[in-house]
Amino acid sequence: MSAPVTRPAPVLLRGAALASGESADVLVADGLVAAVGPDASAHPAAGAAEVLDCTGLIVLPGLVDLHTHLRQPGKEDAETVETGTRAAAMGGFTSVHAMANSTPTADTAGVVEQVWRLGRDAGWCDVHPVGAVTVGLAGEALADLGAMADSQARVRMFSDDGMCVHDAVLMRRALEYVKSFGGFVAQHAQEPKLTAGAQMNESELSGILGLPGWPAVAEEAIIARDVLLAQHVDSRLHVCHVSTEGSVRLIRWAKEQGVRVTAEVTPHHLLLTEELVRSYDPVYKVNPPLRREADVMALREALADGTIDTVGTDHAPHTPETKQCEWTVAAMGMTGLETALPVVQQAMVETGLLDWAGVARVLSVNPARIAGLTDQGQAGDDGAPRVGAVANLVVWDPSVRRTVDPEAHLTRSRNSPYRGMELPGATVHTLYRGHRVVADGAPATPYRHPAAAETGEASR
């Protein structure tokens, strides 16, 4: 017999700073934002609420990641849905999108529903499976996009991330297909013939280090083609992990033409450069590669001015066997869920490029809008909680600074490029559907979905 369903206890966040800059109390009751401001303490539910002193802390809408690798099914030695989403909650995320490159590939309704159920059972945050564009990510035939869209997982985002949909005809067909049900294609922009054997950014440094180079044009050529295809069929394109100055120019031009294109940048491309590759430490090996300082500055400016819409972590956990080895055979990827907001604070807030309303916009409001997460629209454009919205919130302490220790992270993998770096900020509380999944800076208890508690299985 399943455990009885219990509603999250009311919580009053007292004296918090909102992303908009004002100070206000926030009352959470029955899983919703019940009141904000002077009405919070006078609300009937306030008398039974647990009061949390949030003086000096910032309340942000729960973060939304459009680009997470949870590895399950098939690669549970690197990550599971449970460990990955617990790490996400610790990073302030209440919604993540799980990329399709699992084993088996998430290219059928059965696999995406499995990932979705695993997310509900874990209870740390919402998990939205990303469906593969092509069968097995092979780039030869379209996967059954319609079946995944009609499944319990209700997939709307499709990507062969890790692989590029390099065939122009196939990409056009995918864009046309997803348009019929309001979906979009998220492209990993990498022309394969220009990057065969590539190991790092193509530059003077790659020549010095003797590592085959990965030219910027390999990314930019695919973006140029795809924005024209999206314009031609009037469909939605999302560009994953933009990494070059030239890519920024192309996306800016496309938006000026009215193309329905959105774009993301990773935290590591906002902070790290190719100079780190001099160490030959494979923790810095990533796809797309770390680029030049000029690219980093262009990406920051593009995120600040809205050319790039959101920050996607591209959280890519790997086992020690695949990362602690010779550079040329090491896997590509870095962990990022637990360090994303600290990196954004350092790269964007402390440089004056974004205020906290801007942080809420690029880490919550915009990605929720792109993905069509109507139940995640818990904040206005200024990042302030909306009364009546689902209470997905993160309480953030911007004043602390901590040295990154991957051994203390909740993700199953340890391939963080920030090891030993001092980064600002820390999650104090994460509220997922009104339940504190992170409390006082530590994981608490997961949320039990009512359907799962009552029936023993997830449903939607």
Side-chain angles (χ1 to χ4, degrees):
M1 185 174 178
S2 60
V5 179
T6 57
R7 293 178 180 270
V11 175
L12 179 63
L13 307 177
R14 176 158 288 166
L18 305 183
S20 57
E22 62 181 308
S23 180
D25 294 345
V26 178
L27 178 67
V28 172
D30 293 330
L32 304 176
V33 177
V36 178
D39 295 337
S41 296
H43 192 280
E50 179 181 5
V51 179
L52 303 177
D53 183 5
C54 294
T55 305
L57 307 179
I58 298 172
V59 174
L60 297 170
L63 310 186
V64 178
D65 189 9
L66 293 179
H67 197 145
T68 307
H69 297 273
L70 295 179
R71 302 304 188 203
Q72 194 175 8
K75 301 175 184 177
E76 289 84 356
D77 54 343
E79 193 76 283
T80 66
V81 172
E82 198 281 333
T83 60
T85 54
R86 188 168 47 145
M90 195 67 223
F93 290 90
T94 54
S95 180
V96 299
H97 289 69
M99 283 294 177
N101 58 342
S102 53
T103 306
T105 303
D107 56 6
T108 65
V111 177
V112 296
E113 286 186 350
Q114 177 188 3
V115 174
W116 177 73
R117 286 193 178 95
L118 286 167
R120 282 181 68 88
D121 290 345
W124 295 103
C125 68
D126 284 342
V127 174
H128 303 279
V130 177
V133 176
T134 68
V135 176
L137 310 181
E140 297 175 355
L142 285 184
D144 197 343
L145 311 183
M148 289 186 278
D150 291 339
S151 71
Q152 281 187 307
R154 298 176 61 195
V155 177
R156 291 297 180 269
M157 179 177 178
F158 296 87
S159 180
D160 276 4
D161 184 64
M163 305 293 289
C164 178
V165 183
H166 58 85
D167 185 291
V169 174
L170 205 59
M171 185 63 177
R172 173 182 174 168
R173 289 175 180 166
L175 287 166
E176 289 173 328
Y177 198 148
V178 301
K179 180 181 175 182
S180 66
F181 51 76
F184 63 101
V185 177
Q187 176 70 293
H188 173 111
Q190 177 191 350
E191 168 51 58
K193 291 186 177 180
L194 288 173
T195 55
Q199 296 288 317
M200 66 168 293
N201 182 49
E202 183 179 276
S203 63
E204 181 181 351
L205 181 59
S206 64
I208 293 171
L209 299 179
L211 294 173
W214 188 307
V217 70
E219 175 175 304
E220 296 157 8
I222 295 295
I223 293 175
R225 182 202 73 179
D226 285 354
V227 295
L228 293 174
L229 286 175
Q231 182 181 48
H232 182 65
V233 302
D234 189 27
S235 189
R236 293 176 59 206
L237 170 72
H238 181 73
V239 184
C240 295
H241 43 51
V242 175
S243 71
T244 77
E245 185 177 13
S247 294
V248 168
R249 289 196 295 268
L250 288 165
I251 294 165
R252 186 173 287 130
W253 173 86
K255 288 191 170 187
E256 290 170 352
Q257 305 309 305
V259 180
R260 299 168 67 191
V261 59
T262 55
E264 70 186 36
V265 62
T266 71
H268 46 272
H269 286 113
L270 288 172
L271 190 63
L272 309 179
T273 73
E274 65 173 359
E275 285 297 318
L276 291 166
V277 182
R278 289 183 184 273
S279 67
Y280 288 101
D281 185 341
V283 76
Y284 302 119
K285 186 177 181 182
V286 66
N287 180 351
L290 300 179
R291 303 289 190 179
R292 307 165 303 150
E293 181 72 17
D295 294 308
V296 170
M297 294 300 106
L299 294 168
R300 291 183 183 182
E301 292 290 344
L303 185 63
D305 69 22
T307 300
I308 294 176
D309 302 86
T310 182
V311 175
T313 69
D314 197 6
H315 174 77
H318 290 292
T319 62
E321 293 79 13
T322 57
K323 286 298 277 188
Q324 296 175 12
C325 55
E326 183 183 351
W327 176 282
T328 54
V329 298
M332 295 181 178
M334 305 166 167
T335 60
L337 285 168
E338 293 167 81
T339 48
L341 191 45
V343 170
V344 170
Q345 180 176 335
Q346 178 155 316
M348 301 301 296
V349 178
E350 295 188 355
T351 57
L353 291 170
L354 283 181
D355 57 15
W356 287 105
V359 171
R361 184 174 63 251
V362 301
L363 275 169
S364 183
V365 177
N366 282 353
R369 173 183 53 80
I370 291 167
L373 306 182
T374 54
D375 65 338
Q376 296 287 321
Q378 69 271 35
D381 289 340
D382 62 355
R386 293 190 302 108
V387 174
V390 175
N392 290 334
L393 303 167
V394 56
V395 179
W396 183 253
D397 185 350
S399 67
V400 302
R401 299 193 70 89
R402 300 187 301 178
T403 300
V404 177
D405 176 13
E407 305 305 319
H409 286 172
L410 299 183
T411 173
R412 180 162 284 185
S413 295
R414 299 290 173 259
N415 54 304
S416 170
Y418 310 109
R419 182 187 294 270
M421 290 181 61
E422 188 180 78
L423 292 176
T427 302
V428 181
H429 309 290
T430 302
L431 280 73
Y432 168 51
R433 300 186 178 273
H435 176 82
R436 272 201 297 165
V437 291
V438 172
D440 300 312
T445 58
Y447 173 79
R448 281 183 61 81
H449 285 267
E454 293 168 355
T455 68
E457 64 180 66
S459 61
R460 191 166 184 168

